Amino acid sequence: MMLSAYDRNLARRAFGIAALVGAVVLLVVTATDEGGGFAQRAALCAALAPVAGGLGALAAARIARARGEARALEALGAEPSRVMRGAVLGGAIVAAIGPALVIAAVADLDPLFPRPAAPSVWIVEADGGMRDAIRGTRLGPGGALEVAARAPEAPSGTPLGERRAAVGIALVILAFAAPLGATREGGSSGRAAFAVLLVVAMIAAFQLAAAGRASAFVVCVPPLVLLAQALVPRYRGAPPR
């Protein structure tokens, strides 16, 4: 695929905006992760990388249309999808950081598959003290709080390898589908409503997998819907003028 000078310029614009959004995401995750380690922060950033890529592509496309660049090229016979190729590429480069972190096993995926905390189980011991068998805390007879042996946690609803493969595939799809869908022409209200539904569907998919109610690969369904929504209009015949 040969890139024109305009494609490269548009890609740089989308990449710069997406990188700026990614930096903001990193700052927010670092400030609000409640002391999580680097691997957990990497997982949250990986999940949000396609969002940054999509916003970068969206902003670059909007700027190109506002300046009349896209309309001028379309008037010369270029397809709208061809005109926005650079914006898709620039956003996809930043979005691809997400699946790269997951596939390289840098990210700890536990924050993406949350499980409800197990209820406390207090056991009265012979000396009059009490021990929480779940969290490993012990209340001595004199009221002293100690840390005792902690019971092993129950395994997650889906195997780690399956979760990593499923999240990696989902993020690969999103890394391409998010910038591609963002560059489509259309009303802002419809685009926003679809984005909200997609986010809700993704959260529900992660919750189902975490609870063991569905395979981890259920998280690939919303990205596939987004990809179909982005691709179908491009291959649909143009209406007669």
Side-chain angles (χ1 to χ4, degrees), residues 79-186:
E79 292 290 334
S81 58
R82 174 63 185 85
V83 173
M84 292 300 161
R85 181 182 294 176
V88 174
L89 177 61
I93 292 174
V94 174
I97 296 174
L101 291 173
V102 173
I103 295 171
V106 174
D108 177 3
L109 301 180
D110 283 346
L112 302 181
F113 294 89
R115 289 177 295 161
S120 297
V121 178
W122 289 94
I123 300 174
V124 180
E125 298 182 329
D127 62 354
M130 299 181 67
R131 177 171 57 88
D132 184 352
I134 301 299
R135 289 171 176 78
T137 53
R138 183 180 185 276
L139 186 63
L145 192 63
E146 307 170 359
V147 178
R150 184 172 183 174
E153 295 185 0
S156 181
T158 52
L160 177 60
E162 180 180 332
R163 285 185 292 160
R164 191 169 299 280
V167 175
I169 293 172
L171 291 180
V172 166
I173 298 171
L174 282 175
F176 174 68
L180 186 65
T183 56
R184 283 186 55 208
E185 289 191 87

